[in-house]
Amino acid sequence: MSILVTRPHPDNEATAKNLRARGHAVLLAPMLKFEPVAFHDESEADYGAIIVTSANAIRAVAPQLQDLGLNNLGLFELPLFAVGEHTAAAARDAGFAEVIVAGGDAAALRDKVMQSARDKVLKKKGTLLYLAGADLSRDLGGELGAEGFSVVTQTTYRMTPVKILPRDVCDGFAAHGIEAVLHYSRRSARAFLDAARDEGVEISALAIPQCCLSETVASVLRDAGASQVLGAATPDENALFDTLERALRTRLA
């Protein structure tokens, strides 16, 4: 029996490695495809800090900054507010000098920025550079703007839905060889549902536990009719793995 991971590449490889270390067989079906967007900063703003809600933004923009010589703008020296530890690690690896880590979601990132301004660590008059994806689940820039911050949002990447499931995954559903599915975002969950429906495996796919990174992601699966949907207690992978183990224990009971 296998665990199906729908997380996009390359992060799905790390997830698979961690699951195998826990004794699970793994199948991969990345439901979103990463595509960098050309970085053009036409703003003349004097940035005070950078905010990032995904490691993909770092993967997209860091090579461009280096290739274009834009590191001369000093962006790598600015404080960078990362949504969580995974994104923070990507920022550090890319060469950003000062990385501040929030609690794992956009609301926690907003609160971390606001607290830093109250603590005088961040100057509220400075402009924030938001390195974002093309499809945003919430208007973080607008929320910070309502608090008096000036935010310049730069789209650095897009995630394109994958419309088909790999053949081994379809065969796994048909043979009842998949015991749970891991979901990491609302968009990837929707792409999974669409692909499972198109491949004719929707009933089998939704008959097993759907383990989700958050309750927001879980709502997509519940609305689709899945009966065994669990949301992680906190939006991080360790909590998601705990949710998976709980789901598997319940199935065996």
Side-chain angles (χ1 to χ4, degrees):
M1 299 286 280
S2 299
I3 307 300
L4 178 62
V5 176
T6 63
R7 192 179 196 184
H9 181 79
D11 292 325
N12 60 354
E13 297 290 351
T15 297
K17 181 179 179 180
N18 289 336
L19 286 170
R20 291 178 183 122
R22 290 170 176 247
H24 297 291
V26 180
L27 289 174
L28 300 178
M31 298 314 305
L32 296 175
K33 181 181 178 182
F34 169 71
E35 296 179 357
V37 172
F39 182 83
H40 298 294
D41 185 13
E42 299 176 355
S43 171
E44 296 182 357
D46 181 18
Y47 296 125
I50 300 170
I51 55 176
V52 184
T53 51
S54 170
N56 284 320
I58 302 295
R59 294 188 183 110
V61 78
Q64 297 185 66
L65 294 179
Q66 293 161 352
D67 291 346
L68 297 173
L70 293 177
N71 52 324
N72 292 330
L73 297 177
L75 295 184
F76 284 101
E77 303 304 317
L78 292 176
L80 184 145
F81 290 82
V83 68
E85 186 53 51
H86 178 66
T87 302
R92 294 187 196 103
D93 289 345
F96 287 91
E98 182 182 353
V99 180
I100 300 101
V101 189
D105 58 23
L109 179 58
R110 176 201 62 208
D111 294 345
K112 177 68 77 172
V113 171
M114 292 169 57
Q115 185 61 53
S116 294
R118 287 193 292 268
D119 294 341
K120 310 299 184 184
V121 175
L122 177 66
K123 294 180 179 179
K124 202 168 185 179
K125 291 183 179 179
T127 300
L128 301 176
L129 174 60
Y130 179 18
L131 302 177
D135 297 279
L136 300 175
S137 60
R138 64 188 295 160
D139 184 11
L140 178 60
E143 292 176 26
L144 287 169
E147 297 294 335
F149 293 91
S150 175
V151 182
V152 172
T153 301
Q154 290 278 358
T155 299
T156 60
Y157 72 97
R158 64 173 60 90
M159 301 301 289
T160 305
V162 175
K163 299 183 181 299
I164 60 173
L165 291 172
R167 180 45 45 195
D168 59 346
V169 172
C170 293
D171 292 343
F173 280 129
H176 304 290
I178 298 174
E179 55 184 343
V181 186
L182 300 188
H183 299 280
Y184 286 75
S185 74
R186 290 175 61 86
R187 291 191 69 227
S188 64
R190 291 193 191 100
F192 170 76
L193 291 168
D194 289 343
R197 189 176 302 117
D198 291 346
E199 297 284 359
V201 297
E202 182 181 21
I203 293 175
S204 298
L206 295 186
I208 59 177
Q210 312 291 315
C211 300
C212 306
L213 192 65
S214 69
E215 285 297 326
T216 303
V217 178
S219 66
V220 175
L221 281 304
R222 292 195 185 99
D223 291 347
S227 58
Q228 303 177 66
V229 183
L230 299 90
T234 55
D236 62 83
E237 194 164 69
N238 285 333
L240 181 59
F241 287 168
D242 290 343
T243 301
L244 170 65
E245 299 302 338
R246 188 170 74 250
L248 297 180
R249 286 195 300 269
T250 300
R251 290 198 83 197
L252 292 173

